[in-house]
Amino acid sequence: MAALFVGTQSFSQEIEDKKGIVAKNAELVKVQDGFEFTEGPAVNRFGDVFFTDQPNNRIHKWNALSNEVSVFKENAGRSNGMYFLLDGTLVAAADNKNELWAFDTDGNHEVWVTAFKGKKLNGPNDLWVRPKGGIYFTDPLYPRAYWEGRTKESEQTGQNVYFLSADRTELFAVAEDLVQPNGIVGTPDSKYLYVSDIGAKKTYKYEVREDGYLINKELFCEMGSDGMTIDERGNVYLTGKGVTVFNKNGEQIAHIPVPAAWTANVVFGSLDRKTLFITASDAVYTLQMKNRGVW
């Protein structure tokens, strides 16, 4: 497929880094621009990052070795948030018809979720695959101009977080008291899940039960987020106005400014998982880090 790579550009901006999590002398690098709105970065086992240009209905691939961007999939179901399974399946929150899709390595897809209790979902937005199995996803309501055959009102009773069992036989709500859940990420030991309620400008931390249900909700920080990721030390990366990093106690330890109107999402890429890959409006960026991401 045709490459879209056009070069890189560095940005020397003042990065607030209280704990030294950014690599020494590292600068934010613009990898590619010319998109409409980038989202949903997901890293495969080779360190390549797949991301969406949601308004243009495409999924792109950033090659971690060549630093080149190419088109992976056209007509991608208006995919938003994405995440890889260990077998290479790419799961996507496809809000063209308010579904969950799964892509194989050739870009062929199948639909995994079409509704909840016989009614359309609001529009799956972001997701996290639990290492022990199962998928958590957020379902906020963002009415889309491209929706056909449905109203712009919610068919669900609220904007919730759902859990899909590993065998895909069970789908149930696990958080039903949020204003507008969006970003979501869990810890690699499957014990905790972070959910951003962007509508309330807060992020919460939950304990994860073996059966997928969430318990012991607690406020993590007074900030909402579009997309989220986590590193090996348990630091949580929130997005919106640049990237803001909190330690596991909910204390802000870093802020990474990004020259874009909105920073939508973030993930750790490259084989060593030390490249922070940032999707921000019409462009994607990288920044070298000391800490590794988890996958």
Side-chain angles (χ1 to χ4, degrees):
M1 295 182 178
L4 298 179
F5 176 70
V6 294
T8 60
Q9 179 181 3
S10 296
F11 295 84
S12 298
Q13 298 195 79
E14 191 65 33
I15 296 174
E16 173 197 335
D17 184 7
K18 298 177 182 177
K19 297 295 182 180
I21 63 174
V22 178
K24 187 177 180 180
N25 299 323
E27 293 184 354
L28 187 72
V29 175
K30 180 191 286 185
V31 175
Q32 174 71 42
D33 59 15
F35 307 102
E36 191 167 343
F37 190 83
T38 56
E39 248 285 13
V43 60
N44 66 13
R45 63 191 182 95
F46 304 107
D48 303 320
V49 175
F50 290 63
F51 65 94
T52 68
D53 185 0
Q54 210 259 359
N56 287 319
N57 202 13
R58 293 190 190 102
I59 298 174
H60 295 272
K61 175 186 176 182
W62 171 72
N63 187 296
L65 294 178
S66 68
N67 198 37
E68 292 185 348
V69 175
S70 59
V71 176
F72 169 69
K73 179 67 176 178
E74 299 274 8
N75 299 316
R78 303 280 184 177
S79 291
N80 202 327
M82 303 189 296
Y83 211 96
F84 275 98
L85 301 182
L86 290 175
D87 66 1
T89 299
L90 179 62
V91 185
D95 82 353
N96 186 42
K97 295 185 179 179
N98 319 98
E99 299 169 329
L100 280 193
W101 284 18
F103 295 93
D104 65 19
T105 54
D106 295 321
N108 303 308
H109 84 274
E110 60 178 321
V111 181
W112 279 6
V113 175
T114 61
F116 178 65
K117 294 185 177 180
K119 296 181 178 181
K120 285 186 179 293
L121 293 160
N122 294 315
N125 186 278
D126 208 352
L127 51 87
W128 176 69
V129 176
R130 185 174 69 163
K132 289 184 177 181
I135 300 169
Y136 290 94
F137 67 91
T138 57
D139 187 46
L141 179 64
Y142 293 107
R144 307 297 193 184
Y146 49 74
W147 281 350
E148 296 179 1
R150 66 165 288 185
T151 68
K152 301 300 189 288
E153 301 299 321
S154 175
E155 294 186 15
Q156 299 296 328
T157 57
Q159 302 184 48
N160 305 324
V161 180
Y162 295 92
F163 179 74
L164 177 67
S165 62
D167 60 7
R168 307 202 305 277
T169 61
E170 294 183 274
L171 175 65
F172 50 87
V174 293
E176 301 176 90
D177 61 347
L178 303 175
V179 177
Q180 195 171 43
N182 197 312
I184 187 169
V185 72
T187 56
D189 58 10
S190 299
K191 290 183 178 180
Y192 300 101
L193 182 72
Y194 295 91
V195 178
S196 173
D197 188 346
I198 198 169
K201 299 181 180 179
K202 300 178 188 299
T203 295
Y204 296 98
K205 180 180 179 181
Y206 298 84
E207 288 185 36
V208 178
R209 292 196 339 187
E210 193 70 28
D211 59 8
Y213 282 97
L214 304 178
I215 58 174
N216 296 332
K217 172 186 176 184
E218 63 177 79
L219 180 66
F220 175 67
C221 68
E222 295 278 358
M223 178 179 169
S225 183
D226 197 339
M228 303 164 65
T229 195
I230 192 170
D231 70 21
E232 62 185 343
R233 297 185 178 276
N235 300 316
V236 179
Y237 296 64
L238 306 186
T239 59
K241 187 177 180 181
V243 180
T244 306
V245 188
F246 295 82
N247 65 18
K248 63 179 65 176
N249 298 318
E251 301 163 340
Q252 183 176 330
I253 60 170
H255 178 74
I256 300 162
V258 178
W262 185 254
T263 301
N265 217 323
V266 65
V267 75
F268 282 87
S270 297
L271 201 56
D272 64 1
R273 299 297 188 273
K274 287 188 175 182
T275 299
L276 193 66
F277 189 95
I278 303 166
T279 61
S281 299
D282 68 341
V284 292
Y285 300 81
T286 57
L287 180 67
Q288 298 306 306
M289 309 294 288
K290 286 184 180 178
N291 294 345
R292 299 178 192 273
V294 295
W295 184 74

